């Protein structure tokens, strides 16, 4: 009953393509996705409707196991596990509603069990939560798991190999879900100490002898086993030997592949099995006992000798086997989990070697020379091979038996064939050969990818990876073995991910250049590429001698000459602007003679290099451009730009030394000299080109004794108590904190600590609460009690008091001027926000989960301010993901009482800061220098007021002496006189005051108040003002001594600034520089931390060198939201298979590290908030969302404040794909834009409306529609932003129009995190345009869509209202206009517009276009990214400043003169006024005739030139 599926995208695609555009290839796009019609007509759907589908009205038929068997045999196994059918079953909630509720271990068939397994695997592949159904009904899980294990080791006759592969995948998922209690309890039994019962007895005895603790456990186990019932014992034995049995089974299956054929399903099984082994070896809890069992089974040796490893199909198998071998030898102590140093590894190796020598000495006297040799002379593989390959099988067997590697002789009569001479020799040799440490290997590895690496699909999978086949990639799981392992996995993933982008860039450039081979063999480039230039010459100019102890040269320099004569100025400029440290690639292209007719697009990776003739790819790093005398031009030099007489430019580049050495070794063995063959240089966009710096940073971290603070070490690796770094558990928790301006009044303080008793201490205790004014110092009795308990462990039952003591802190005036009044916090923080601030001010790890609109930034800024005031000597580092978040933080810090001389911003985003102040390094230096002049002027005034002669305000230094000798002495004299005054007369204070003249410009009277103390305080505040002037001058003294700008910025960065901010990318790029400068900090605050890649979160912890082997980091505050979108990973394989999109924040949440979840939002109307607050524990609303007038009135023109609007097909078309993954939906695009135009016409500001969508393709289509319909119309104009949901994370607007695009299949909106972001962007109005029938059945999205569907699914409008609206939000408008579909809306807007225009009498509505659906989108999405959050699409803040100008190929066409939008509008207006009514009818005819020509309009204006009908 398999339905035959035709192409899901319909035959009628060509009408969306521009003439001449390449036809899309559906071979590669997922033609696996079923269309709605196919689903409706499919047997599966009818079964689902009858038995389990959630959306059906009638009651379901009772459970029948025949249905399960039928579906399994026809659709799952019968379709050989086709992804598409499994997706359909999973989507219809087959597992939740049918399979699991009806599972009982006694009656369930194999097909029932396998169906569950397959669906769970599918959930993991789609990355949706997989264990929810089981957790709701856990009682059958143990039985289910046990029967899955039983089938996994069943005989080949009973279960086919494909099903066993599915079981192996399932087991792997179980082992990787250790944080789910249900799963962990089952899995732990398979890998605990009892599994050693399957070791060889002699080996087990030797192992237990080494670790007495385990020996004790083992004895206990044997006692316990003696008491068990026989059937229980049988079950236990089964669990203990399970993995060992699996390994035996794997070896049996592996050896079924012999020389003849090699079935794909067997290869798949062994690959999947190796991945399971790698995952078991790479987690400490599973590895601890399993590693010995694995070693005892000799899996690595047996597998490496298997015939499959020699065959081409075994390529991935061999790569995976390498990973297994890597982990079996990993530098860690399996028992304690401590990392082993090179020295430790050496001693293990020596112990093994001497044991081998003893074995040889005892068993085989003929090899006396080996037994007595020094270890260094026999430890190399070649030496061992020489000695052992010549021995007989029996001699080898004896030696292995002595080493406990094989069973004792008398037991093994039957298995002679298993232990061949070749196997035994390899066993001895591979166990004893000397190996380089991982670090040595890493340090000798080139950092740039080469051609064989770039196009290897097992390492760098292509764009269309769907999670179905295994890969040889490292994974980021919950836990890591050691920091070294952690960094190494991240290093490899980062390297591979950047390689994938490099591959795209190279393919793009080669495709544009169209190289071909002339008759004489020379290469000619027919095309032209902006990012590449043919080389004139390439010469190596220096190869420096190797450093001591290394083999590779210490430096390799080369000169590259390119000709930049022709072409445009801006292209030449871009090449001349190549900066130091930019990475370029050198390519050798030799296209085959015949290969020019074939297009360069869509060549499979394994044939790419042959087809295009790409021979070599090598990376290099630019050192600079040379002037005509051959000197490198300095970047920041003060000399004028050098002039060049010709178009040739020479760049000096540095090559990778390790790569150079490898290539030279090849050349000396008769290979070609790579370096004399290059004929092309390629550059990359600077924004995407920082991979080398990050890789070098990670490699440096692995080479330094990188010390993570002790309190963080285990948490980062994922072990120990997850709450150990919470402030209440830290030994240095602070019992008393000055909360500064956190609280607005005493009532606020009392409300902020529910559950605590608040006592006021000191003289304030007698005052009424209304007179208690902040700042408050709060003492926490519970912390004091805990700290005491730590020092004197005593009675545990003593109650910890929940009491706060509050003291008032006296605020000292800073001077008599109004500017001296400090800025104060005005936010009334909620109790959870206060808890987050308290936690952040205390030492330890603070994790704040901030749902949308809960004031994350306010909390962050208050923490920073409190740290700044409580610990003035500490420095705080702020790290965010985007420049935009940094800017928001800075704008809010500016509003608090933080002296701006202590603020500094590193990196390139300073330009976008919306303050007039410049916080970049140079900006701060200029600020300091200007401030210095200003302060010295004050000193001059002071000097004149006192009548002192001489030039005392010449420098900071002279000012300092002036203070010491003139000022301080006068103050001391004054103070002494006041002390002698017995009567405390307040007039004395004013009369004797020495600086009256200086403060003449202050508000008068200078002394005010009624008591002596108040007068005295006035004098003190004036003195503080003077002191402050001189303190600052003292700090600025260094800037006089340091002359160069660079030294000054460094001093600022290392000494002066107290709050330093940067993006995580900047931290990764500049780590080396900062460490060398001696950069130091005590606290880190990370904003948006759930959007930062794991490694980019980790590097900022280590931007300083450890002092005496410890890290001085005291606090780490992470603020983020793991329910919103994760970091952007462009390649799906790394995102899905390697779990690279998991941020450190998310991983710590999964590990149960305590978090503080903010619980009151102040962004959206409560009604809109209900669409996403179900995802959070308890997300309430702040009072202003209920009371403010904006939120109390309705949205003018709309019946509802949010609505889901169903968009039917238009002309029979829903979603379309002009190229794979470039999804568009014309009906929705036109509908959304029509609603936007309607909103503008009834008076909404364009700046209050954003249009969002879930796909890049739709975004460019909506832009095109907007440009055609709105841009040139002065009444309408463009909306605030048109963006993808992913790029809009972190931003908000009053009204959001959201287009969900898809009509066949839900696509990536199934990721609930994307839904949460989409629903939470709007403050007052959210209008969602979608195909309702598709989304309403999606299990993950139901909570939101159930609420959306309670309102009508057609748009309800009230066109007679104008903004602002009088109607109350809860009142539905009487008799609204109901819009049924997009054409109706378009027509309605046009008529509405004409009526508006008649009222305005400004324009005729000719300008508006009535026919929807005529706008052509971008011709194809070639080069468009698949990931909607990717940086290549241009919504960037700084984008307007440095747009790449669009360049057309001059060979093809001369550019038409461009007219700006304003001029077009003006011309249109002019025409309208001059044109009479009689011409209007001709115009109509003309427009109809115009259409055919419009279709072929040339696209010289740029990629999005959308030709709507011409303006009238």
């Amino acid at each position: 009953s398999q339905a035959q599926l035709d192409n899901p995208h319909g035959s009628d695609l060509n009408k969306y393509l521009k003439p001449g555009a390449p036809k899309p290839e559906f071979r590669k796009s997922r033609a696996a996705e079923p269309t709605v019609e196919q689903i409706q007509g499919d047997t599966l759907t009818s079964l689902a409707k009858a038995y389990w589908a959630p959306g059906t009205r009638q009651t379901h038929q009772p459970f029948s196991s025949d249905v399960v068997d039928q579906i399994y045999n026809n659709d799952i196994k019968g379709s050989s596990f086709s992804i598409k059918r499994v997706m359909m079953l999973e989507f219809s909630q087959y597992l939740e509603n049918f399979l699991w509720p009806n599972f009982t271990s006694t009656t369930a068939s194999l097909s029932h069990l396998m169906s569950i397994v397959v669906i769970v695997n599918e959930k993991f592949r789609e990355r949706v939560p997989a264990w929810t159904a089981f957790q709701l009904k856990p009682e059958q899980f143990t039985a289910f798991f046990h029967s899955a294990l039983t089938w996994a080791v069943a005989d080949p006759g009973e279960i086919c190999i494909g099903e066993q592969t599915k079981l192996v995948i399932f087991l792997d998922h179980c082992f990787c879900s250790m944080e789910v209690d249900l799963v962990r309890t089952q899995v732990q039994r398979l890998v605990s100490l009892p599994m050693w019962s399957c070791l060889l007895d002699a080996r087990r005895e030797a192992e237990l002898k080494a670790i007495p603790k385990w020996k004790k456990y083992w004895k206990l186990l044997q006692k316990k086993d003696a008491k068990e019932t026989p059937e229980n014992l049988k079950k236990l034995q089964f669990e203990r030997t399970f993995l060992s049995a699996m390994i035996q089974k794997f070896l049996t299956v592996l050896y079924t592949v012999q020389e003849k054929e090699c079935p794909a399903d067997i290869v798949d099984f062994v690959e999947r099995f190796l991945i399971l082994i790698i995952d078991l070896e790479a987690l400490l809890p599973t590895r601890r006992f399993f590693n010995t069992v694995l070693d005892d089974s000799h899996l690595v040796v047996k597998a490496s000798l298997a015939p499959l490893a020699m065959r081409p199909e075994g390529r991935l198998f061999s790569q995976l086997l390498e990973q297994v071998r890597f982990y079996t030898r990993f530098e860690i102590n399996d028992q304690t989990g401590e990392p082993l140093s090179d020295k430790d590894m050496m001693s293990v190796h020596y112990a093994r070697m001497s044991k081998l020598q003893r074995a040889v000495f005892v068993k085989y006297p003929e090899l006396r020379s080996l037994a007595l040799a020094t270890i260094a002379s026999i430890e190399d593989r070649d030496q061992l091979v020489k000695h052992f390959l010549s021995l007989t099988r029996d001699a080898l067997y004896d030696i292995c038996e002595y080493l406990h590697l094989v069973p004792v002789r008398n037991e093994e009569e039957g298995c002679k064939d298993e232990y061949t001479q070749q196997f035994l020799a390899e066993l001895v040799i591979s166990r004893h050969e000397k190996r380089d440490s991982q670090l040595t290997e890493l340090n000798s590895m080139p950092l740039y990818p080469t051609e064989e690496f770039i196009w290897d699909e097992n390492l760098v999978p292509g764009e269309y990876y769907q999670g179905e086949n295994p890969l040889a990639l490292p994974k980021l799981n919950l836990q890591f073995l050691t920091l070294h392992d952690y960094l190494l996995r991240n290093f490899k993933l980062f390297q591979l991910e950047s390689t994938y982008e490099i591959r795209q860039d190279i393919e793009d450039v080669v495709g544009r250049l169209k190289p071909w081979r002339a008759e004489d063999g020379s290469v000619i480039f027919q095309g032209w590429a902006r990012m590449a230039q043919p080389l004139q010459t390439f010469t190596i100019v220096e190869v420096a001698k190797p450093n001591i102890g290394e083999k590779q040269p210490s430096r390799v320099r080369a000169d590259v000459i390119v000709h930049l004569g022709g072409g445009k100025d801006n292209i030449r400029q871009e090449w001349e602007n190549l900066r130091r440290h930019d990475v370029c690639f050198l390519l050798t292209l030799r296209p085959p003679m015949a290969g020019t007719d074939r297009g360069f697009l869509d060549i499979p990776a394994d044939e790419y290099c042959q087809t295009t003739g790409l021979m070599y790819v090598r990376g290099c790093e630019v050192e600079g451009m040379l002037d005509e005398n051959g000197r490198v031009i300095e970047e920041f030099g003060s000399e004028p730009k050098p002039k060049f007489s010709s178009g040739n430019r020479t760049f000096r580049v540095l090559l990778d030394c390790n790569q150079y050495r490898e290539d030279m070794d090849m050349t000396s063995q008769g290979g070609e000299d790579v370096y004399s063959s290059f004929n092309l240089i390629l550059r990359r966009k600077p924004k995407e080109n920082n991979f080398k710096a990050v890789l070098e940073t990670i490699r440096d971290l692995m080479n330094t004794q990188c010390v993570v603070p002790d309190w963080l070490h285990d948490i980062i690796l994922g072990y120990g108590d997850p709450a150990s770094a919470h402030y209440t558990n830290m030994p240095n928790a602070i019992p008393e904190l000055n909360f500064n301006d956190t609280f607005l009044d005493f009532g606020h303080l009392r409300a902020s600590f529910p559950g605590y008793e608040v006592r006021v201490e000191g003289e304030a205790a007698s005052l009424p609460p209304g007179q208690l004014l902040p700042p408050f110092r709060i003492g926490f009795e519970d912390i004091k009690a805990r700290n005491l308990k730590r020092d004197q462990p005593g009675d545990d039952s003593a109650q910890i008091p929940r009491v706060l003591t509050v003291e008032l802190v006296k605020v000292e005036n800073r001077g008599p001027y109004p500017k001296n009044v400090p800025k104060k916090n005005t936010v009334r923080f909620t109790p959870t926000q206060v808890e987050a601030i308290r936690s952040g001010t205390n030492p330890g790890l603070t994790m704040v989960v901030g749902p949308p609109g809960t004031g994350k930034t306010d909390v962050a800024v208050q923490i920073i301010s409190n740290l700044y005031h409580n610990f003035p000597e500490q420095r705080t580092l702020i790290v965010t993901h985007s420049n935009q978040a940094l800017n928001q933080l800075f704008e809010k810090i500016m509003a608090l009482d933080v002296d701006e001389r202590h603020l500094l911003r590193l990196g390139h985003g300073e330009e976008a800061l919306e303050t007039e102040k410049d916080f970049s390094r140079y900006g701060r230096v200029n600020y300091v220098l200007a401030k210095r002049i200003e302060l010295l002027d004050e000193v001059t005034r002071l000097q004149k007021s006192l009548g002192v002669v001489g030039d005392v305000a010449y420098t900071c230094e002279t000012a300092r002496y002036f203070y010491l000798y003139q000022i301080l002495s006068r103050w001391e004299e004054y103070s002494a006189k006041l002390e002698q005054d017995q009567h405390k007369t307040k007039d004395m204070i004013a009369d004797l005051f020495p600086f009256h003249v200086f403060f003449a410009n202050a508000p008068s009277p200078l002394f005010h108040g009624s008591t002596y103390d108040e007068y005295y305080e006035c004098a003190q505040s004036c003195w503080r003002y003077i002191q402050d002037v001189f303190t600052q001058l003292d700090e600025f003294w260094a800037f006089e001594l340091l002359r160069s700008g660079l030294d000054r910025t460094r001093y600022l960065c290392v000494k002066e600034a107290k709050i330093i901010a940067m993006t995580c990318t900047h931290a990764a790029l500049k780590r080396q520089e900062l460490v060398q400068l001696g950069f130091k900090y005590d606290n880190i605050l990370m904003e948006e931390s759930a959007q930062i890649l794991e490694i980019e979160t980790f590097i900022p912890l280590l931007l300083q060198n450890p002092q005496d082997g410890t890290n001085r980091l005291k606090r780490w505050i992470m603020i983020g939201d793991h329910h919103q979108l994760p970091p952007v990973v462009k390649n799906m394989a790394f995102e899905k298979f390697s779990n690279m999109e998991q941020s450190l924040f998310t991983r710590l949440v999964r590990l149960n590290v305590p978090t503080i979840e903010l619980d009151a939002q102040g962004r959206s109307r409560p009604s809109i908030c209900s669409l996403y607050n179900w995802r959070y524990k308890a997300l309430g609303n702040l009072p202003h969302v209920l009371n403010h007038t904006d939120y109390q009135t309705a949205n003018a023109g709309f019946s509802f404040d949010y609505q889901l609007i169903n968009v039917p097909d238009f002309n029979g078309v829903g979603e379309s794909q002009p190229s794979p993954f470039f999804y568009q939906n014309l009906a929705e695009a036109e509908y959304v834009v029509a609603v936007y135009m309607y909103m503008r016409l009834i008076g909404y500001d364009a700046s209050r409306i954003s249009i969002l969508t879930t796909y890049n393709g739709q975004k460019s289509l909506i832009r095109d529609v907007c440009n055609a319909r709105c841009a040139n119309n002065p009444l309408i104009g463009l909306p605030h932003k048109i963006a993808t949901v992913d790029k809009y994370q972190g931003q908000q607007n009053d009204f959001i129009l959201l287009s969900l695009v898809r009509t066949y299949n839900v696509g990536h909106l199934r990721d609930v995190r994307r839904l949460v972001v989409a629903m939470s962007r709007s403050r007052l109005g959210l209008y969602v345009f979608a195909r309702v029938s598709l989304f309403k059945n999606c299990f993950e999205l139901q909570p939101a869509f159930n609420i959306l569907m309670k309102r009508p699914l057609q748009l309800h409008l009230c066109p007679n209202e104008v903004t602002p609206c009088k109607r109350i939000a809860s009142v539905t408008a009487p008799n609204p206009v109901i819009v049924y579909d997009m054409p109706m809306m378009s027509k309605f807007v046009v008529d509405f517009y004409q009526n508006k225009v008649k009222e305005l009498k400004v324009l005729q509505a000719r300008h508006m276009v009535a026919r929807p659906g005529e706008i052509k989108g971008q011709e194809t999405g070639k080069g468009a990214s698949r990931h909607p959050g990717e940086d290549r699409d241009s919504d960037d803040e700084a984008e307007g400043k440095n747009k790449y100008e669009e360049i057309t190929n001059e060979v093809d066409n001369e550019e038409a003169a461009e007219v700006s939008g304003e001029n077009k509008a003006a011309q249109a207006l002019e025409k309208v006024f001059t044109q009479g009514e009689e011409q209007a009818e001709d115009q109509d005819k003309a427009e109809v005739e115009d259409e055919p020509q419009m279709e072929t309009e040339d696209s010289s204006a740029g990629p999005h030139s959308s030709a709507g009908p011409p303006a009238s």
Side-chain angles (χ1 to χ4, degrees), residues 1307-1327:
H1308 64 200
L1309 193 70
R1310 269 197 87 173
D1311 189 334
V1312 183
R1313 298 173 296 190
R1314 191 167 277 106
L1315 178 82
V1316 168
V1317 174
M1319 295 289 142
S1320 59
R1321 298 304 97 203
S1322 70
R1323 290 180 57 233
L1324 304 171
L1326 170 69
Y1327 300 95

Side-chain angles (χ1 to χ4, degrees), residues 876-1059:
T876 303
L877 175 67
I878 301 176
V879 182
T880 65
H881 168 244
S882 62
N883 276 311
Q884 185 196 349
L886 263 191
N887 296 340
Q888 288 173 352
L889 264 173
F890 257 69
E891 282 154 30
K892 291 197 169 170
I893 293 177
M894 289 301 302
L896 286 179
D897 177 27
V898 174
D899 192 316
E900 48 173 302
R901 69 174 189 266
H902 293 140
L903 287 175
L904 172 66
R905 165 85 188 266
L906 302 179
H908 289 295
E910 306 103 358
E911 302 90 34
L913 245 180
E914 279 151 30
T915 53
E916 49 285 17
K917 301 182 168 139
D918 180 358
F919 288 99
S920 68
R921 285 178 289 187
Y922 292 100
R924 289 294 85 194
V925 169
N926 294 338
Y927 165 78
V928 164
L929 297 177
K931 186 82 175 158
R932 169 181 163 270
I933 302 291
E934 194 184 304
L935 292 169
L936 288 175
D937 287 349
E938 283 285 85
V939 175
T940 315
R941 244 187 65 223
L942 184 58
Q943 174 200 3
K944 288 189 178 137
S945 73
L946 297 173
V948 178
V949 290
D951 193 353
V952 298
Y954 182 56
T955 62
C956 296
E957 193 173 2
T958 53
R960 187 178 183 174
Y961 295 131
F962 170 59
Y963 172 70
L964 279 176
Y965 297 125
Q966 301 283 345
I967 308 297
L968 196 56
S969 54
R970 292 172 199 232
W971 178 256
E972 283 167 353
E973 187 187 344
Y974 171 63
S975 305
K977 281 185 187 158
L978 289 184
E979 273 171 24
Q980 290 161 12
D981 171 30
Q982 309 289 316
H983 305 298
K984 297 258 194 270
T985 47
K986 59 178 191 178
D987 297 339
M988 282 271 285
I989 298 178
D991 299 343
L992 293 173
F993 186 64
F995 307 114
H996 270 301
V997 184
F998 176 68
F999 285 112
N1001 58 357
S1004 56
L1006 190 55
F1007 291 91
H1008 46 81
S1010 51
T1011 64
Y1012 178 84
D1013 289 343
E1014 287 175 11
Y1015 263 48
Y1016 187 65
E1017 178 53 35
C1018 292
Q1020 283 289 349
S1021 81
C1022 292
W1023 174 238
R1024 280 187 211 110
Y1025 177 78
I1026 292 175
Q1027 270 178 309
D1028 188 47
V1029 169
F1030 288 101
T1031 319
Q1032 288 191 52
L1033 282 171
D1034 261 3
E1035 280 184 25
F1036 297 165
W1037 190 9
F1039 291 88
E1040 288 181 350
L1041 303 176
L1042 301 170
R1043 303 307 300 170
S1044 83
L1046 193 62
D1047 289 341
R1048 286 172 170 172
T1049 59
R1050 285 182 173 165
Y1051 177 80
L1052 193 71
C1053 175
V1054 180
K1055 287 275 191 295
E1056 174 73 0
K1058 295 274 182 280
I1059 296 171

Side-chain angles (χ1 to χ4, degrees), residues 1097-1227:
T1097 321
F1098 181 72
I1099 290 174
L1101 296 179
L1102 302 168
L1103 297 182
Q1104 54 189 351
N1105 272 332
Q1107 303 167 322
D1108 328 319
T1110 59
N1111 188 321
R1112 67 181 262 179
L1113 191 69
K1114 300 174 184 59
R1115 292 172 188 78
W1116 185 16
I1117 299 125
M1118 291 169 88
I1119 302 179
D1121 182 3
H1122 56 287
H1123 294 308
Q1124 292 184 55
L1125 282 163
V1128 174
V1129 177
K1130 296 181 192 173
N1131 187 326
M1132 295 310 249
F1134 300 122
E1135 180 184 326
K1136 284 199 160 83
F1137 181 85
S1138 298
N1139 201 12
M1140 194 174 169
E1141 58 156 32
Q1142 173 173 273
S1143 60
L1144 182 61
F1145 186 87
T1146 311
R1147 183 163 70 89
L1148 293 181
V1149 171
R1150 275 181 72 193
L1151 283 164
N1152 276 324
V1153 174
T1155 56
I1156 297 164
E1157 191 169 297
L1158 302 181
D1159 55 7
Q1161 66 92 26
R1163 174 183 298 168
S1164 313
R1165 293 181 187 271
S1167 57
I1168 294 176
C1169 178
S1170 67
L1171 296 173
Y1172 58 88
N1173 66 10
W1174 49 273
R1175 197 75 189 88
Y1176 297 94
K1177 284 198 201 95
L1179 180 57
N1181 299 300
L1182 288 170
H1184 72 260
V1185 188
L1186 307 167
N1187 312 333
H1188 191 276
T1189 50
D1190 277 0
Y1191 293 98
Q1192 285 188 337
T1193 52
N1195 299 338
F1198 293 96
S1199 282
F1200 300 102
D1201 48 13
Y1202 67 81
Q1203 225 185 329
L1204 171 63
I1205 295 131
N1206 187 36
V1207 184
D1209 283 356
F1210 174 63
N1211 293 348
V1213 180
E1215 69 176 70
S1216 58
Q1217 280 190 74
S1219 70
F1221 299 111
F1222 199 68
Y1223 291 105
Q1224 299 188 333
N1225 181 330
L1226 188 63

Side-chain angles (χ1 to χ4, degrees), residues 37 60 89 104 118 279 294 311 422 432 460 571 595 621 697 761 806 913 969 980 985 1033 1079 1111 1175 1328 1348 1454:
E37 293 73 49
H60 293 147
L89 280 169
T104 48
V118 168
D279 283 340
L294 182 67
R311 300 180 58 122
Q422 179 198 17
H432 296 94
V460 187
I571 297 283
E621 181 178 328
T697 297
E761 302 271 311
V806 180
L913 245 180
S969 54
Q980 290 161 12
T985 47
L1033 282 171
F1079 185 60
N1111 188 321
R1175 197 75 189 88
V1328 185
L1348 285 168
E1454 286 303 317

Side-chain angles (χ1 to χ4, degrees), residues 314-359:
R315 177 114 196 274
L316 175 60
F317 173 77
S318 311
Q319 287 172 328
L320 289 167
L321 193 60
E322 261 317 293
Q323 274 192 302
V324 176
R325 180 177 287 138
F326 169 78
Y327 275 117
T328 50
R329 305 164 163 183
F330 195 80
E331 301 163 354
I332 183 175
N333 175 337
D334 287 337
Q335 179 206 350
T336 59
E338 293 293 315
L340 300 177
S341 64
D342 287 353
K343 199 171 150 197
D344 303 333
M345 289 305 282
M346 214 52 174
S347 55
V348 172
H349 168 66
Y350 282 158
R352 273 192 182 174
M353 285 303 285
S354 39
K355 196 167 173 192
L356 174 70
Q357 286 182 316
R358 278 202 300 282

Side-chain angles (χ1 to χ4, degrees), residues 1322-1353:
S1322 70
R1323 290 180 57 233
L1324 304 171
L1326 170 69
Y1327 300 95
V1328 185
F1329 299 81
R1331 178 66 50 88
V1332 177
S1333 57
L1334 171 66
F1335 288 95
K1336 70 177 182 198
N1337 287 338
C1338 180
F1339 181 64
E1340 288 76 18
L1341 309 182
Q1342 270 181 334
F1345 275 86
N1346 288 345
I1347 301 174
L1348 285 168
M1349 288 173 59
K1350 287 182 182 151
R1351 297 191 171 175
L1353 299 177

Side-chain angles (χ1 to χ4, degrees), residues 1439-1459:
E1439 190 73 19
K1441 303 188 178 130
N1442 46 10
K1443 277 222 175 80
Y1444 274 151
E1445 294 161 50
E1446 192 51 50
I1447 289 170
T1448 42
N1449 222 336
E1450 285 117 55
V1451 195
D1452 302 344
N1453 56 359
E1454 286 303 317
E1455 278 189 272
E1458 273 289 301
V1459 185

